[in-house]
Amino acid sequence: MARIHNNPGNSFGIVSAQDDTKDLTQLLQSQKNLSQFTALLTSYGDIYANLSFQSGITVLAPNNDAFNKIPYSSLGPAFEANQSQIVRSVLQYHILPGIHPSGSYNGSFSFDRTWLQNASYTNVMGGQVVGGVQQAGDVNIYTSGMGSRSTLVNPNLAFTGGVVHVIDTFLVPPANFIQSVPQFNLTAAGGAVENASLADYVNTHPDLTVFVPNNAAFLALGSTLQSMPLQQLRRILDYHIVNASTVGYSSNLPNGTVLRTRSGQNLTITFASNSLFVNQARVIQQDLLIANGVMHVIDNFLSPDAPSATANPEIATAPPLIQGTSLSENRDKFRRKQRNADK
C-alpha cells in the first residue's frame, strides 16, 4: 500500500503506489471516524466526482468529532439551514492542490492554496489559502478564518489520487475585514475604516495586506482623529494597506522587504530580536486570514509622514508618531453598526 514517510534526503517523500492502494471511495469507507464527512462529500456529487478523478490532491477531512462542534462554531447557522452554497464553499476549502505530507510542515507557517475560488467567498488570486505549521511535539496545526485552528489527528492516509489528513475541527473560510475585526478585538480599527468610507475597499479589493493597529494603539493617541478631515484620515489608513499582486503572508515578508502601500509610499519589514516589525511598529499577531487577503495586528500607528521610521526592539512599544484619536468613539460607533447589522 502506498504511504507517505520521511526519507533521508527527502524528508517528506512519497512512496510509489502499489496495486493495493485504495481509491478515494475505498479509503473513506475504511475510516469509520470519517463517516459523516464521507456522507457530506458524496452529497455534493460534482465535487466528489471531480475529486475522485484528480491526481496530486490533499484532502483535509474533518472527523466525526468535528461535526459535533459545528453548532458551536460560526459555521453552525449555514449547516443548520442547509445553505448549500456556503457548505459547498466549506468543502472546497478543505481540498488542496498538490500533495502536502505532514512532514512537509515545520515551525514556520506555510500557506497553501485550496479549491475555494468562488468570488462570493474569496478574492485571493489562485484560491483562498489555509495556514499550516508544525508545533512542539510534531503536532501539525491548520489555521483558517476567524482565527480557527484545526489539529491534524491522523496524517498521511494515501489514496490513488493523493493523501487525506484527518483533522479534529472544520476549517472556516475567511470572512471579510469588517466581519473579522470584532473576533480579534480590533473594534476601533473597524470603526475608523467605516468612518473613512473605506469598508467597501478593504472588504472587496483583491489580494490585500492590512496592518491593523490594535485598540491600545488608538488609546495611546488621544482624541483628534474624530475631528480630522476625512481626506487626512483616509491618507493615514491608506498607509496601512498594501494592494500588491502578492498577499503579504508572513512567509512572504523576509527581513528588508519593502511594500508599496495604497497611499503610494513604502513600508519596510524588519526582523529583529525574534520579532517582526513594519517600520517602527511591532507585529503582535500575524497572518489573520480574511476573504481577500491577510491582516497583521500591530501595536502602533504607521505614519505616512514618517516612512523612514525604524524598529527599536529594545522597547516594548515605540512612541506614537501620530497625535490624536479616540478609542471609545471609533469602537462604540462600530459596535452599534455591528449590532444593527445582526438584527
Side-chain angles (χ1 to χ4, degrees), residues 155-183:
N156 303 329
L157 304 179
F159 68 100
T160 51
V163 63
V164 171
H165 295 315
V166 181
I167 56 177
D168 70 345
T169 305
F170 268 82
L171 305 173
V172 176
N176 66 37
F177 177 88
I178 290 297
Q179 292 170 332
S180 297
V181 289
Q183 178 73 19

Side-chain angles (χ1 to χ4, degrees), residues 176-178 181 186 189-190 193 198 201-213 236-244 246-249 253 259 261-262 267 278 283 285-290 292-298 302:
N176 66 37
F177 177 88
I178 290 297
V181 289
L186 300 172
V193 165
L198 285 172
Y201 182 86
V202 297
N203 279 345
T204 62
H205 192 86
D207 299 321
L208 284 191
T209 303
V210 187
F211 294 96
V212 186
I236 291 172
L237 296 179
D238 282 346
Y239 191 54
H240 292 73
I241 301 170
V242 177
N243 52 356
T246 302
V247 177
Y249 307 111
L253 299 177
L259 303 170
T261 68
R262 186 171 186 253
L267 297 171
V278 53
V283 178
Q285 200 168 5
Q286 302 176 17
D287 298 315
L288 304 179
L289 301 179
I290 53 177
N292 55 331
V294 70
M295 57 184 183
H296 304 290
V297 183
I298 55 179
L302 306 170

Side-chain angles (χ1 to χ4, degrees), residues 18-284:
Q18 304 298 320
D19 290 343
D20 60 348
T21 301
K22 293 180 173 68
D23 63 23
L24 179 62
T25 299
Q26 293 169 330
L27 175 63
L28 292 176
Q29 289 177 346
S30 72
Q31 302 296 314
K32 293 182 179 180
N33 65 336
L34 294 181
S35 59
Q36 293 187 70
F37 175 73
T38 302
L40 179 64
L41 180 61
T42 54
S43 71
Y44 286 79
D46 56 331
I47 296 178
Y48 182 61
N50 189 13
L51 186 59
S52 298
F53 289 100
Q54 291 289 325
S55 178
I57 290 293
T58 298
V59 181
L60 303 179
N63 61 16
N64 290 344
D65 288 340
F67 278 79
N68 295 334
K69 299 176 185 177
I70 289 176
Y72 310 103
S73 75
S74 60
L75 299 177
F79 275 78
E80 176 68 23
N82 194 26
Q83 294 178 294
S84 60
Q85 289 305 309
I86 295 178
V87 176
R88 175 183 298 274
S89 73
V90 172
L91 281 174
Q92 291 169 332
Y93 192 46
H94 286 75
I95 303 170
L96 285 58
I99 297 179
H100 304 276
S102 62
S104 66
Y105 296 95
N106 55 38
S108 298
F109 267 96
S110 62
F111 296 90
D112 300 316
R113 303 290 177 188
T114 72
W115 275 16
L116 179 54
Q117 300 186 36
N118 187 329
S120 297
Y121 303 102
T122 185
N123 201 359
V124 176
M125 183 68 68
Q128 186 55 269
V129 304
V130 59
V133 67
Q134 189 172 85
Q135 297 186 335
D138 294 336
V139 176
N140 284 27
I141 300 294
Y142 295 97
T143 60
S144 55
M146 296 296 188
S148 299
R149 294 166 61 88
S150 305
T151 301
L152 177 57
V153 294
N154 192 5
N156 303 329
L157 304 179
F159 68 100
T160 51
V163 63
V164 171
H165 295 315
V166 181
I167 56 177
D168 70 345
T169 305
F170 268 82
L171 305 173
V172 176
N176 66 37
F177 177 88
I178 290 297
Q179 292 170 332
S180 297
V181 289
Q183 178 73 19
F184 305 104
N185 196 27
L186 300 172
T187 46
V193 165
E194 291 197 325
N195 292 345
S197 301
L198 285 172
D200 286 345
Y201 182 86
V202 297
N203 279 345
T204 62
H205 192 86
D207 299 321
L208 284 191
T209 303
V210 187
F211 294 96
V212 186
N214 63 5
N215 282 352
F218 280 84
L219 188 63
L221 294 183
S223 59
T224 61
L225 270 190
Q226 289 297 312
S227 58
M228 181 180 291
L230 184 60
Q231 185 176 1
Q232 186 176 352
L233 175 60
R234 285 178 177 169
R235 177 172 173 263
I236 291 172
L237 296 179
D238 282 346
Y239 191 54
H240 292 73
I241 301 170
V242 177
N243 52 356
S245 58
T246 302
V247 177
Y249 307 111
S250 61
S251 57
N252 295 335
L253 299 177
N255 188 47
T257 298
V258 176
L259 303 170
R260 179 62 63 114
T261 68
R262 186 171 186 253
S263 71
Q265 296 167 284
N266 290 342
L267 297 171
T268 301
I269 300 296
T270 303
F271 189 80
S273 298
N274 206 34
S275 292
L276 189 69
F277 296 84
V278 53
N279 288 7
Q280 88 293 350
R282 188 185 299 266
V283 178
I284 56 177

